[in-house]
Amino acid sequence: MPLTNTAVIPDAWSQAHQPVAESAMRSRVDILVPADQVPSPGWGEASGDPVGDAVAAGGVHARIRSLSTGNTLAASSQSLDTADYLVQVPANALPSLLVGEHGHRLRVTLNPGSTAIEGREFSILGLQHGTESFNRDLICREHTTQQQGT
């Protein structure tokens, strides 16, 4: 039986453990600004900066795990192949993320375990919340119909 006025989990326990969790995140992702928030064409000084690729946070540590693959039907009746992923990033990667079709996106820049997904872009479908979290869990989706040759 716990002692009265004694905390089982000390204050700031999860913050103290966040560096340990981050050290196990061997992949890197760029968090991209939502496409509708990107400045007008020509926002970047470097040539080849396409609109829609403005980076909100670059080189973010991540852990990427495949969840499932599936098939969805678009409004145009076109079949879309999809792959869902759990992407874990540090708890303080960005203070707030917009999710859904018009939200922030992730681009995988480094993934030592499977280089085949490097360069791919994921939509963030949802954020998982919990107490004493060491990281933020993002449920992401990639539309793989256009990726068939890779």
Side-chain angles (χ1 to χ4, degrees), residues 21-22 49 63 73 76 94 96 98 107 112 119 130-131 140 147 150:
E22 188 174 328
D49 281 346
R63 186 178 309 119
L73 192 61
S76 64
L94 271 184
S96 63
L98 299 174
R107 181 188 307 123
T131 58
C140 298
Q147 304 281 344
T150 60

Side-chain angles (χ1 to χ4, degrees), residues 2-27:
L3 299 173
T4 307
N5 299 326
T6 303
V8 175
I9 298 176
D11 293 338
W13 182 73
S14 62
Q15 291 85 356
H17 287 78
Q18 285 174 1
V20 175
E22 188 174 328
S23 71
M25 296 178 183
R26 298 179 53 225
S27 300

Side-chain angles (χ1 to χ4, degrees), residues 37-44 51:
Q37 294 181 12
V38 174
S40 61
W43 65 268
V51 170

Side-chain angles (χ1 to χ4, degrees), residues 93-144:
L94 271 184
S96 63
L97 288 171
L98 299 174
V99 300
E101 185 178 337
H102 301 290
H104 286 88
R105 295 159 292 134
L106 299 181
R107 181 188 307 123
V108 180
T109 58
L110 175 70
N111 191 49
S114 175
T115 58
I117 66 169
E118 289 178 2
R120 294 197 181 169
E121 198 172 291
F122 303 154
S123 298
I124 303 172
L125 299 181
L127 304 170
Q128 302 298 309
H129 298 281
T131 58
E132 303 302 335
S133 297
F134 303 140
N135 49 258
R136 295 174 83 181
D137 293 341
L138 312 175
I139 303 300
C140 298
R141 174 165 289 161
E142 175 193 25
H143 292 286
T144 58

Side-chain angles (χ1 to χ4, degrees), residues 23-93:
S23 71
M25 296 178 183
R26 298 179 53 225
S27 300
R28 300 290 180 274
V29 297
D30 287 343
I31 300 175
L32 305 177
V33 171
D36 61 355
Q37 294 181 12
V38 174
S40 61
W43 65 268
E45 294 299 321
S47 62
D49 281 346
V51 170
D53 286 348
V55 176
V60 176
H61 293 257
R63 186 178 309 119
I64 303 169
R65 187 178 67 172
S66 177
L67 294 176
S68 64
T69 57
N71 190 287
T72 59
L73 192 61
S76 64
S77 297
Q78 177 185 2
S79 177
L80 297 174
D81 294 326
T82 60
D84 292 341
Y85 294 88
L86 169 65
V87 179
Q88 297 175 310
V89 297
N92 59 354

